[in-house]
Amino acid sequence: IIMALTAQLIPIVQVGAVETDSVEECRETIDMGETPWKFMGSDVDPETAKQIDYDDSSWQNVGIPHCFNDMDTFTNTKNVSFYKGTVWYRKTFTMDASYEGKKVFLEFEGVNLGAAVYVNGVFKPGNTEVEQPDEVTHVGGFLPFTLDITDDLNYGGENVIAVRVSNANGSFFTWPGFGVKNDFGMDYGGIVCPVYMHITNPVHIPSDVYSPIEKWGAYIATLSADEEQAEVAVQTNVENESGESQRVTLTTQIVDADGAVVWEKSEDADIDPGEIRMFDQRAIVEDPTLWYPNASIYGTPYLYKVYSIVKTGGVTVDVYENTLGIRTIDWDTDYC
């Protein structure tokens, strides 16, 4: 099954009181699970499955997210032996030529337990310092990981993503010794969470998924808050991968649940090629609506949105969205 990825114009949106321009330059996210993947689940481990020309026509079609031992349940029994082994997934798709010159990232929200990812036969390494017996991209099903696949793709042609996955000790990765118990379903195996492709401008805010690219995008924290005023720290990284120096304007907006901008600030910076510039801003929100847990007698889990708008030459090239609950936590001498 071949999925065609084609350029799509992102609809013009209102970001608070500011309408983004040149919206076709903003980020696009494609759900790679919208069409089936090929799956081979057995004790046979064909390492040639990573090659672009491998014949997977006899493999099973599955949706992503996918668990290869989800039928090994606890129903009507006390002891269950979950299947543990090595399996393969493959995805064939065409990448529209219009994406060339953009940045392309592949995000796995969760693969249990170990994964080795290949894009057109090219292994995508991880950043672990743990010695591994074979090629390993990521270990641990509870954390996502993001890969930069920009230079691995065939634009205007066919591409293949192959993922080797195992939940077995003694497999191609070093056994972590944690997150592996049956009790909480930790022995479930497969690409158990969604997979997304993110397409951005070369000047962009990095993903907040740190592994293995070792970058982060935005950090937002409440420094102090009461019903009259809140101070919020907003740190935003902007990366320049355009190959030339760029004059960048970052506009940060905090927008309430009704769409009103309650705080806004713009800053300019010159960012060299390959550089990541961190904008460190402090926001004051007057008369904030504080966040409280659900069913609290004091309030509701109220959320603001924080928009980071990146411009070069007056043209919007990226818009990054986060949520913010303005809150503080304290307790008295009785721990109440």
Side-chain angles (χ1 to χ4, degrees), residues 9 73 93 108 128 148 154 169 189 201 211 223 250 298 327:
L9 293 183
T73 70
F93 60 96
F108 291 82
T128 180
D148 185 343
N154 177 24
N169 196 352
N201 190 278
S211 177
L223 302 181
L250 173 71
Y298 301 105
R327 58 195 173 183

Side-chain angles (χ1 to χ4, degrees), residues 20-74:
T20 63
D21 53 2
S22 299
V23 292
E24 67 273 12
E25 295 296 323
C26 294
R27 64 178 57 223
E28 182 179 351
T29 296
I30 297 170
D31 184 351
M32 299 297 286
E34 286 187 338
T35 55
W37 289 51
K38 287 290 188 177
F39 169 73
M40 193 285 300
S42 70
D43 291 327
V44 178
D45 182 15
E47 292 194 32
T48 53
K50 64 189 176 186
Q51 298 173 0
I52 191 170
D53 58 352
Y54 182 89
D55 182 8
D56 59 14
S57 59
S58 64
W59 290 16
Q60 179 184 357
N61 293 331
V62 299
I64 297 296
H66 177 259
C67 176
F68 58 71
N69 59 353
D70 55 340
M71 298 304 292
D72 302 340
T73 70
F74 291 97

Side-chain angles (χ1 to χ4, degrees), residues 137-188:
T137 303
H138 187 80
V139 177
F142 295 99
L143 292 176
F145 60 97
T146 293
L147 306 171
D148 185 343
I149 63 172
T150 305
D151 297 333
D152 305 307
L153 295 174
N154 177 24
Y155 297 91
E158 190 172 285
N159 299 269
V160 175
I161 298 169
V163 188
R164 189 185 189 194
V165 179
S166 179
N167 64 339
N169 196 352
S171 183
F172 61 87
F173 61 92
T174 299
W175 192 245
F178 61 89
V180 295
K181 291 175 64 65
N182 283 353
D183 307 53
F184 304 103
M186 295 177 184
D187 273 342
Y188 287 131

Side-chain angles (χ1 to χ4, degrees), residues 234-255:
V234 184
Q235 295 180 325
T236 310
N237 285 304
V238 178
E239 184 172 15
N240 176 16
E241 296 190 81
S242 69
E244 58 185 29
S245 295
Q246 297 284 349
R247 182 69 172 176
V248 171
T249 300
L250 173 71
T251 300
T252 304
Q253 295 180 334
I254 299 178
V255 180

